[in-house]
């Protein structure tokens, strides 16, 4: 199912209820729906080493910047084991995941997590 999201100002998610905010470099909330970008793996905010934690902040902030740049589309692919919507996210036909990968802020998803440290 394709969903076009109009310009919505997303913030960084704070503790508590989440709506219209970015969790990390591959997960965000929009209109009450938790979305996991399906085609990438980004570093974790609670990284295993200082490098991963720093990269996670940069990745999260870049995803927020991209999503706040205008209209984006969700190309839903189902749900993951945590109940998050899996979606390829595009802006003007370009993959947000590919942008993060090309900037070194995420990796292409291969079906399993790889260490960042």
């Amino acid at each position: 199912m394709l969903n076009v999201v109009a310009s919505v100002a997303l913030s960084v998610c704070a503790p508590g209820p989440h709506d219209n905010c970015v969790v990390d470099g591959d997960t965000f909330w929009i209109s009450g729906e938790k979305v996991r970008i399906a085609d990438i793996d980004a570093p974790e905010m609670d990284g295993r080493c200082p490098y991963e934690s720093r990269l996670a902040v940069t990745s999260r902030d870049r995803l927020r910047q991209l999503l706040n740049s205008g209209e984006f589309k969700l190309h839903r692919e189902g749900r993951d084991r945590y109940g998050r919507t899996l979606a390829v996210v595009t802006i003007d036909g370009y993959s947000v995941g590919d942008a993060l990968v090309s900037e070194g802020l995420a990796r292409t998803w291969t079906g399993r997590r790889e260490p960042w440290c």
Side-chain angles (χ1 to χ4, degrees), residues 4-20:
V4 177
V5 179
S7 296
V8 175
L10 282 87
S11 62
V12 171
C13 292
H18 297 117
D19 198 24
N20 299 338

Side-chain angles (χ1 to χ4, degrees), residues 2-105:
L2 176 65
N3 184 34
V4 177
V5 179
S7 296
V8 175
L10 282 87
S11 62
V12 171
C13 292
H18 297 117
D19 198 24
N20 299 338
C21 63
V22 178
V23 176
D24 58 25
D26 57 24
T27 307
F28 61 96
W29 286 85
I30 189 75
S31 300
E33 180 179 17
K34 191 172 188 180
V35 177
R36 166 73 159 76
I37 299 177
D39 55 350
I40 64 169
D41 180 39
E44 297 299 322
M45 297 302 293
D46 59 348
R48 294 184 180 197
C49 64
Y51 170 76
E52 181 176 7
S53 296
R54 285 190 308 272
L55 189 61
V57 170
T58 304
S59 179
R60 177 202 63 202
D61 293 348
R62 179 64 174 138
L63 175 59
R64 180 174 171 256
Q65 180 183 40
L66 289 166
L67 295 177
N68 282 335
S69 69
E71 185 178 276
F72 59 90
K73 295 180 181 177
L74 301 178
H75 306 266
R76 289 178 177 80
E77 298 185 346
R79 295 196 178 273
D80 68 7
R81 64 183 176 178
Y82 303 108
R84 299 176 293 190
T85 297
L86 291 171
V88 173
V89 181
T90 60
I91 297 173
D92 294 328
Y94 296 99
S95 167
V96 169
D98 287 349
L100 292 168
V101 169
S102 72
E103 294 174 19
L105 301 174

